[in-house]
Amino acid sequence: MGELRQKLYSGWLDQGKKEQLMMECNYFASIAPKSLFDKINLKEKFDAMTPGGRTALLVVGIILALPLLLIIMPLIVPVVIILLLVSMVTRKMNQSPEYANYDYWNRIVNPTFKLFDDKLEAGFRTNPYDLVDTEMPFDKALVEGRMIKPLPNKYLTTMYSTASYNWEDYYDTEAFEFMGYRLYTEHTDDDGHTTTVTYFNGGIFKFHTSFSVNGTVNIMSTYTKKNLFGIEKEKNQFKKIQDKEVSVIDTENHEFAENFDTIATYDEEAYKYLTPAMIENLLYLRKQCFFALCIKGNVMTVTINDGFKGATPSAFGPTTKPYYAPRDPVGDLNQRIANYGNAMISIYELKDILDPAGRRQ
């Protein structure tokens, strides 16, 4: 078992670094702007009331709020916009120079990873050559590698969080990379209604495998859809399989054929990977999630809608500096540590399903 796994399973953390990070979190809370609710301590005052007093306050509040809501309902949208603008201006004015210049990524996000292992960091290498042999943007490489649905010419992206462990060591089968990622389009019509179409929203996982393949092997989850006559037909949401450079693989396993499409540059490379035991593993995983994988050399890339167990798109977040000071800096840090640990255990669980021989004993 790799060093990081041993630490994760035993709950080990660098306590010296954790104490320093707690001090850093408290310092950040002291320089960050306070929200209006925190300034007037509404929550603390409400919690200090007796149960009867809280009930009475809520009843009176509802009675007073109903007629007020009827009066301001037509003005609710402009009022909300004005309040948001006032909040943004006020927040900007209340920012101290220390907060404005605070490097949240390097002073809190990355040091949290270092509590587990020095080789762990926030980051993801968007290398298209892990998927295809031609230079192109990583998003397009994901489409070409049949990892996500084909994208339109114009689209938007959101990166939720990232993680990387010892990826520079090409032969370390315990190495991994993860990115929570969303690709989508937004269109606003003449009436102001916005339509959002999501092409991918989930986790992208990268592993160094215990084996290596020539060319590429692609395995894609399929789904069934009924036609006009009510007959179910197998569908593939990825780039159409029509390239002459690849072969469609038939494993002669009916259940596998119903759940996956498999293509490979060389048939024998796919058959070496798709042993009876691996087919069972892939079917087991398919019951839990919709996914696609691409193996090129000894790099396996996996895309999973919504992520896998604790490895959700935002598992390693938030990575951006909060607008307001946290109410409980130490509690927030402990929750972040728990989320990181659960996510990495889930990442290794996924790796063990897809490459059991890569787990160190």
Side-chain angles (χ1 to χ4, degrees), residues 299-350:
V299 175
M300 176 186 289
T301 306
V302 188
T303 54
I304 302 182
N305 291 348
D306 301 322
F308 179 72
K309 296 190 175 181
T312 61
S314 58
F316 297 101
T319 58
T320 55
K321 184 166 53 179
Y323 292 132
Y324 296 112
R327 291 180 178 177
D328 180 9
V330 174
D332 284 0
L333 175 61
N334 287 331
Q335 185 61 58
R336 183 190 288 265
I337 291 170
N339 291 344
Y340 282 23
N342 290 335
M344 287 186 285
I345 288 173
S346 296
I347 288 172
Y348 277 127
E349 184 177 340
L350 175 65

Side-chain angles (χ1 to χ4, degrees), residues 220-233:
M220 301 150 278
S221 297
T222 57
Y223 64 97
T224 54
K225 187 176 182 180
K226 290 184 179 180
N227 61 19
L228 294 175
F229 303 101
I231 300 173
E232 289 189 344
K233 188 176 180 180

